[in-house]
Amino acid sequence: MIDIPVILTAGFLFVSSCTYSPSGTNFMDVNQEPASLSMDFNISPQLEVDETIKLFGQPIAEYQFTSDFNDMRPVDLEISLGSQILEQNRFWMGKISQKKYFAIDTYGFPNGIYNLNIKAVSNSGTGSIADLTGNEIIEISGSWKIEIDNLGPTSPDISAVVADNRQLLITWNPYLRPNFSSYYISKNKFNESTGQYQEVYRVANQSITDRYKTSLYDPVYIGGEALYRVVTIPEVQNPYLNNHDFYGLGKIFTYNDEFPVFQAHVITDSQLELRWSICKYPDNFGSYLVRKYQDDSDVINYWSFTNIEDTSLIDTDFTPDSGYHYELITMPKLFSPSASTYDTIIP
């Protein structure tokens, strides 16, 4: 939201003077300070970045004058964007004028940088001859840099993914364009048949509406390859663009870290001891599951461990050369598709 309170100093124009010494009972010396005149101006929605106000779509501008005029006096106002006049009005006001509104159709401007200029002029209210003849005035003026941005949706890129605080922290750059509703972090997989990345799930199942929030923990990552990207959802779609993709997609960021795998096995008589590596993301860890198969048969036994330190088991029903094989599945605490990791071993 743009909020530009404008209270500017008065400027005066005086008529040429000559030597004059009035006297007599009908003369009264006027030495009155000029009346105050201030203006509040606001445009919404908007985004201010590095002293540049960014606009899109059809924002609404509002303005209001305040003065200590004791009677009604005229105010001439002109508001322009570049060379185009947005608002031109003459109205009469006393101490406070009514709030006024107008729409700015930014679709009528090419994307780029413009100057927004405001100028308001009124008489000074001193009661002097110059005031009464319109040669002594109060003027309010101001200029602001405006950027019109009605381009299609884009998205910031992920800047880093690092192990932090026993979880995985994803950080990205802030979205510094005006047309913004929210963004979320998606985890993806590559679809060989389409040649495109396909979203698997939204990290933390969270939509972020604060454009300046630029980090998020993945609460289900427990190792392996993860393909992340930022997806930005704009507030509105530009009706004049032939762009049917409503979302802005950032670049894919690939992160890969070790996940629990079988490390060793020991066969003794009719038993088998299996050992595997520990999960590196304890805050996300849910359980280890070891499944036992024989050739292509269904599961014939399984073991489950919810203690992250439990990284071994002994199968007391093992026969060498029997076609047994084992699968280690590490599952996150929170369920999420494609978040579990897998490893197999054939003793």
Side-chain angles (χ1 to χ4, degrees):
M1 178 176 180
I2 183 174
D3 190 1
I4 313 176
V6 183
I7 303 177
L8 303 176
T9 58
F12 305 98
L13 300 176
F14 294 92
V15 295
S16 300
S17 60
C18 59
T19 302
Y20 176 53
S21 300
S23 62
T25 59
N26 293 326
F27 170 74
M28 180 177 65
D29 188 16
V30 175
N31 186 20
Q32 181 177 336
E33 291 294 322
S36 67
L37 181 64
S38 62
M39 178 184 179
D40 292 335
F41 183 75
N42 174 72
I43 303 177
S44 180
Q46 60 85 40
L47 171 69
E48 184 170 353
V49 179
D50 297 332
E51 299 183 350
T52 298
I53 299 165
K54 299 189 176 187
L55 302 178
F56 75 98
Q58 296 173 312
I60 301 298
E62 63 178 33
Y63 62 90
Q64 184 176 27
F65 286 94
T66 304
S67 175
D68 60 359
F69 287 137
N70 291 321
D71 55 356
M72 302 295 287
R73 295 180 183 269
V75 177
D76 292 310
L77 172 68
E78 181 176 287
I79 303 175
S80 60
L81 185 60
S83 60
Q84 182 172 326
I85 295 176
L86 301 177
E87 180 85 341
Q88 195 170 37
N89 195 8
R90 162 173 270 207
F91 54 93
W92 293 77
M93 63 168 289
K95 290 189 175 183
I96 297 179
S97 68
Q98 290 184 339
K99 188 173 290 187
K100 303 182 186 302
Y101 306 86
F102 64 92
I104 303 175
D105 185 7
T106 66
Y107 294 130
F109 294 81
N111 293 295
I113 302 293
Y114 300 83
N115 284 328
L116 175 71
N117 300 303
I118 297 177
K119 182 178 180 181
V121 177
S122 181
N123 59 329
S124 68
T126 63
S128 68
I129 293 176
D131 173 35
L132 297 176
T133 57
N135 290 296
E136 183 179 75
I137 64 171
I138 298 174
E139 179 179 301
I140 290 178
S141 63
S143 181
W144 295 267
K145 187 181 294 184
I146 301 291
E147 180 179 358
I148 302 298
D149 181 2
N150 285 309
L151 298 172
T154 58
S155 193
D157 294 328
I158 290 174
S159 55
V161 179
V162 295
D164 176 76
N165 195 28
R166 298 158 57 96
Q167 286 184 301
L168 193 67
L169 181 64
I170 305 166
T171 59
W172 59 92
N173 302 312
Y175 189 74
L176 298 180
R177 295 183 57 200
N179 189 5
F180 173 82
S181 174
S182 63
Y183 43 43
Y184 66 89
I185 309 302
S186 70
K187 186 176 180 180
N188 305 264
K189 66 179 181 180
F190 186 74
N191 190 320
E192 295 286 351
S193 61
T194 63
Q196 302 290 327
Y197 289 99
Q198 177 181 337
E199 182 176 303
V200 178
Y201 65 86
R202 298 185 182 188
V203 173
N205 196 27
Q206 182 178 359
S207 291
I208 301 168
T209 57
D210 179 1
R211 67 169 69 244
Y212 296 106
K213 177 177 172 59
T214 57
S215 65
L216 183 69
Y217 285 103
D218 184 347
V220 301
Y221 181 81
I222 51 176
E225 184 180 68
L227 307 175
Y228 297 106
R229 76 180 348 159
V230 182
V231 180
T232 302
I233 303 175
E235 185 175 340
V236 297
Q237 185 98 19
N238 185 339
Y240 300 102
L241 287 180
N242 294 321
N243 182 3
H244 301 291
D245 186 1
F246 187 67
Y247 303 97
L249 300 177
K251 294 179 181 177
I252 291 289
F253 189 105
T254 302
Y255 182 81
N256 205 336
D257 199 1
E258 297 174 353
F259 58 90
V261 295
F262 288 115
Q263 291 184 314
H265 69 277
V266 178
I267 301 173
T268 305
D269 298 328
S270 61
Q271 69 179 27
L272 168 71
E273 181 181 2
L274 292 173
R275 300 171 190 162
W276 57 89
S277 56
I278 194 169
C279 178
K280 296 176 61 177
Y281 297 87
D283 280 3
N284 294 348
F285 172 78
S287 63
Y288 304 114
L289 178 64
V290 179
R291 291 175 175 172
K292 179 181 179 181
Y293 300 85
Q294 186 171 27
D295 298 325
D296 295 328
S297 66
D298 294 332
V299 176
I300 59 176
N301 203 354
Y302 68 90
W303 298 262
S304 180
F305 307 88
T306 57
N307 186 341
I308 195 171
E309 302 292 337
D310 291 339
T311 57
S312 66
L313 73 84
I314 295 177
D315 181 6
T316 58
D317 183 19
F318 178 79
T319 303
D321 302 322
S322 59
Y324 292 143
H325 64 276
Y326 298 82
E327 180 182 44
L328 171 65
I329 306 172
T330 306
M331 295 180 288
K333 186 185 306 180
L334 301 176
F335 172 77
S336 188
S338 302
S340 300
T341 61
Y342 298 81
D343 189 38
T344 60
I345 187 172
I346 301 176

